[in-house]
Amino acid sequence: MDAEADRRDLTHPPARAAARLAVPAGLFAAVAGAFAYVGAVDPNEPGHYPVCPLLRLTGVWCPGCGGLRSAHAVVHGDLLTALHANALAVVGYVALAALGTVWVVRAARGRPFRVGLAPAHLWTLGAVVLVFTVVRNLPFGGLLHP
């Protein structure tokens, strides 16, 4: 930030801080509401959520299969069940919580938040998701079955 922006922040710090935190707070509220809903409405009971179309049509588990059960287990504090339902989703929850925390801290300090992912990072992420999907559908990938 430049010196002029720093001076502006000092003239009305509470109003500026509230404005900077509005978007991260709104997103946090939406995510917390979604997790609260999944925690209250058990995805292990049939009929509450739609079945994965890929699983229904092909019998193949997609990378997201078990994600709702995993979120339900996380809300109830059962990390082992969450990891068994979808280990990749649990890693994603932790990564997104860490990114969200960094975003809030940077917003509170008036600093921009940017995630600078190079194409190599995105390809690596795609490869991890692909390997996870393939391995969980192989006979020896039984620990990754939801």
Side-chain angles (χ1 to χ4, degrees), residues 37-142:
Y37 180 80
V38 171
V41 181
D42 190 356
N44 294 303
E45 296 178 13
H48 292 294
Y49 300 98
V51 177
C52 173
L54 183 67
L55 180 62
R56 172 169 267 169
L57 294 174
T58 66
V60 173
W61 288 304
C62 77
C65 282
L68 286 175
R69 287 177 291 223
S70 178
H72 180 79
V74 166
V75 168
H76 290 278
D78 190 356
L79 187 59
L80 288 177
T81 300
L83 286 168
H84 183 266
N86 191 324
L88 190 62
V90 174
V91 171
Y93 304 150
V94 171
L96 290 176
L99 280 172
T101 301
V102 171
W103 184 17
V104 167
V105 168
R106 291 190 63 84
R109 292 180 178 171
R111 305 242 190 269
F113 175 69
R114 291 184 181 86
V115 179
L117 293 176
H121 296 121
L122 297 174
W123 280 103
T124 302
L125 180 62
V128 167
V129 171
L130 180 65
V131 168
F132 174 78
T133 305
V134 170
V135 169
R136 79 186 318 203
N137 284 288
L138 294 174
F140 64 83

